[in-house]
Amino acid sequence: MHVFVTGASGWIGSAVTAELLAAGHEVTGLARSAESAAAISAAGAAAHRGSLDDLESLRAGARAADAVIHLGFKHDFSDMPGAWRTERAVVETFLSALEGSDRPFLLASGVAGLTPGRAVTERDANPSHGPDGMRGGAENLALEHADRGVRSVSLRFAPTVHGEGDRGFVATLAGVARSTGVAGYVGDGSARWPAVHRLDAAHLVRLALEGAPAGTVVHAVAEEGIATRQIAEALGRGLDLPTRSIDPADVDGHFGWIGRFFALDIPASSALTRDLLGWEPTHAGLLGDLAAGYYTDAE
Ligand SMILES: NC(=O)c1ccc[n+]([C@@H]2O[C@H](COP(=O)([O-])OP(=O)(O)OC[C@H]3O[C@@H](n4cnc5c(N)ncnc54)[C@H](OP(=O)(O)O)[C@@H]3O)[C@@H](O)[C@H]2O)c1
C-alpha cells in the first residue's frame, strides 16, 4: 500500500515509517520543515511538504495515497485547546477526502481518563464528542465515519511509548527528578500507567493498517499498569537520587505540568487487540528500558 503518514518525523511516526517500509509498503511523510523532510527522506520514504495548518496539503497527500496514518500532533502543552482545534480540522479534512473510498484512516489517540477507577478496554467509548472535547473529539468523529466509506481505526497509545531516545513523559519525569533532586511519586504511588515499547507499537500500527476492520479501536498497550512508585524508584536508582512521596497538594509545584498526568491511575487492557490482530509485544518493558539507562544516563 502507498501510505500517507503525518508525524512521520516524530517518535512514533518514524518507527511506523520504518516498519511499513520493511514490510514492503510505500510511505509518503508529511514534512513541515527542511529538517523533517531530510529525516523522512533519509529513512527511505518520500517527503510531502506541508503542515497540519495547511489543510490543502493534507487533502493532496490523502488523495495520492491508498491509506492515511495520522500521527502528527502539536505537543504544545501551554496551548492544548489550540492543538485540539488543529486536530479536529485535520481529521475533518482527511475524512472528507476519504469518504466513500473504503480506504484506511488510522489516527492516534490515548487511553487516559476514559474509565476512571478501572482498566479501559477497546469496547469503552471515548466520552469526548464535538470540537470542544479532548483531542477535538477526533476519535469519535473518525469512528463515526466507519459506515460512510472510511476504514477508520483508532490507535489508542499507552501514555508512555518508550524506548531508547524517548523525549516524552518519562524523560520529562527524569528531568524533574534531576532538577528537584528527588525521584518523586504522587501520594502512595499506587496510580498505574500502562506502557508500550515504541517498536511494538509500530508493529501494531502495521497490523491494524493491514487487517483492522472499519470502526476498530486498538490498544497499543503492552503492560496494563505499572505502579508510578515503581517508575519513580527506577528513576531514583538510575539517577542516584532518593525516592519519595509527594503530597498530592504539592503536585503542581513539584512536578509542573506533568504532575497531573503522573497522578492519574489509568490502567488499560489490550486483550481484544491481541485477539483481533494476533499482536504479541516482544520488546523490553518500561522498567527494563529504565534499567538500561535510556532515561537516566548522562546526556
Ligand atoms: N509518545 C507517546 O507516549 C504517546 C502516547 C499517547 C498518544 N500519543 C499520540 O501519538 C501521536 C504521535 O506521538 P509522538 O510521540 O510520535 O509525537 P512527536 O514525537 O511529538 O511527533 C509529532 C509529529 O508531529 C509533527 N508536527 C507537529 N506539529 C506539526 C505541524 N504544525 N505540521 C506538521 N507536522 C507537525 C512533528 O513534526 P516535526 O518533526 O517537524 O516536529 C512530528 O513529526 C500524537 O498524536 C500523540 O499525542 C503519543
Side-chain angles (χ1 to χ4, degrees), residues 84-168:
W84 292 349
R85 272 194 302 279
T86 301
E87 179 70 356
R88 178 83 185 186
V90 167
V91 171
E92 284 175 346
T93 299
F94 280 135
L95 291 170
S96 73
L98 297 174
E99 197 165 329
S101 70
D102 290 329
R103 282 180 281 167
F105 174 61
L106 283 66
L107 84 165
S109 186
V111 296
L114 303 186
T115 55
R118 68 167 173 86
V120 60
T121 79
E122 296 85 338
R123 288 210 182 96
D124 289 309
N126 189 323
S128 293
H129 288 270
D132 298 327
M134 204 170 48
R135 294 184 75 99
E139 178 184 82
N140 282 318
L141 182 68
L143 295 174
E144 286 155 12
H145 277 67
D147 57 6
R148 291 164 67 175
V150 182
R151 181 153 73 80
S152 44
V153 176
S154 172
L155 307 164
R156 290 184 184 161
F157 292 104
T160 172
V161 180
H162 57 86
E164 186 173 10
D166 181 14
R167 290 286 165 268

Side-chain angles (χ1 to χ4, degrees), residues 5-15 30-37 39-40 50-54 57-58 70-75 77 86-87 90 107-112 135 155-162 166-170 196 198 220:
V5 180
T6 72
S9 52
W11 173 240
I12 299 174
S14 55
L30 178 70
R32 62 169 161 164
S33 67
E35 291 74 22
S36 300
I40 290 167
S51 110
L52 297 176
D53 297 309
D54 174 359
S57 73
L58 305 181
H70 171 45
L71 299 168
F73 194 80
K74 294 180 177 176
H75 281 131
F77 290 95
T86 301
E87 179 70 356
V90 167
L107 84 165
S109 186
V111 296
R135 294 184 75 99
L155 307 164
R156 290 184 184 161
F157 292 104
T160 172
V161 180
H162 57 86
D166 181 14
R167 290 286 165 268
F169 285 168
V170 176
V196 65
R198 172 178 175 251

Side-chain angles (χ1 to χ4, degrees), residues 12 15-16 19 157 161-162 195-207 219-223 273-274 279-286 289:
I12 299 174
V16 168
E19 169 80 24
F157 292 104
V161 180
H162 57 86
V196 65
H197 193 282
R198 172 178 175 251
L199 299 180
D200 286 320
H203 182 55
L204 175 60
V205 173
R206 175 168 72 80
L207 295 179
H219 279 191
V221 171
E223 297 178 279
T273 297
R274 293 172 196 236
W279 177 62
E280 271 309 321
T282 58
H283 291 275
L286 175 61
D289 273 354

